[in-house]
Amino acid sequence: MIMKNIKINNNPIGIFDSGVGGLNIMNEIHKILPMENIVYFADTLNLPYGSKSKDKIIDLSRKISFFLVKKKVKLIVIACNTASIFSLNIMKNFKIPMLGVIDPCIKFAILKSKNMKIGIIGTEATVNSNLYVNKINKIAKYNVYQQACPLFVPFVEEGIINGNIIDVIIKKYLDSLLKIDIDTLILGCTHYSFLKKALIKNIKKKISIIDPSKYMAQEVLNVLKKKSLISENRFKKNYSFLKIYVSCNEKKFKNTYYKLFNKKIFNVKKVNLEDM
Ligand code: DGL
């Protein structure tokens, strides 16, 4: 039954990341909000963000957000830790809601951790910013340990998410973190959620892994409800559309998508970020 007095908004949800990292967030959003249209932007030309300067990341995030606004999105999910860290506050002047991945991860890590020892793995830029550590310490005196894992992103972008090489790299990066008795590990880079199975296999201990994908989808639902931005298509399942834009090499993106999800994707279009 269609309820009266519910405001509707059929404009799409905008999501962006440097590459395939935000796709798990996108899929989780689609799972709980199948009626919502989605526009995803992957800045494959400028990947990886993790080795870029703060100014460069802000500049790119701004350009992508303007592009998404031109596509008439009603809300933007910054499905990238590195971009969320540097850009979220600066982009408060956009007239639509902007959601970053950091706060939801922290919220759930704190709920999960019993011994107050939290590990964070992320890009070099994320780790060097210390934002996770500072935010967590503002809440309570947790012991927070960080580790940058710069090789993870290129492997995920190649669609390589398991096997011997991945095991070796995981062991190398996580060795010192696991010697400390952390009980919670934040995946502080959206690309790493593709490595979750390999991480669990190699960690061999009971550790809560905080993957932002599900939390972000819930966050999007809450904001859409609160701001009356839900699409009316909710009464017609599968009515929604998905459009993916990349800033270079759409063929590679499609190939990686296939390797990651064992499913073909067709609607990927290359656009020039400099023209936006
Ligand atoms: N997926 C991104 C993040 O969450 C960025 C990875 C990169 O491009 O370095 O930080």
Side-chain angles (χ1 to χ4, degrees), residues 16-22 40 43 46-52 78-85 101-102 122-126 132 150 153-154 157 187-192 212:
F16 78 87
D17 178 48
S18 59
V20 294
Y40 184 95
D43 192 7
N46 295 296
L47 180 106
Y49 277 12
S51 56
K52 301 260 177 317
I78 309 180
C80 170
N81 287 257
T82 316
S84 300
I85 283 174
V101 283
I102 313 298
T123 66
E124 284 163 300
T126 294
Y132 269 111
V153 169
E157 284 293 326
L187 304 186
C189 169
T190 50
H191 280 78
Y192 302 177

Side-chain angles (χ1 to χ4, degrees), residues 127-157:
V127 166
N128 292 338
S129 77
N130 270 324
L131 190 84
Y132 269 111
V133 181
N134 296 340
K135 278 193 169 227
I136 293 173
N137 281 331
K138 266 193 196 146
I139 298 167
K141 271 267 153 265
Y142 281 80
N143 293 304
V144 187
Y145 308 93
Q146 303 190 91
Q147 175 66 51
C149 308
L151 284 175
F152 283 172
V153 169
F155 274 99
V156 172
E157 284 293 326

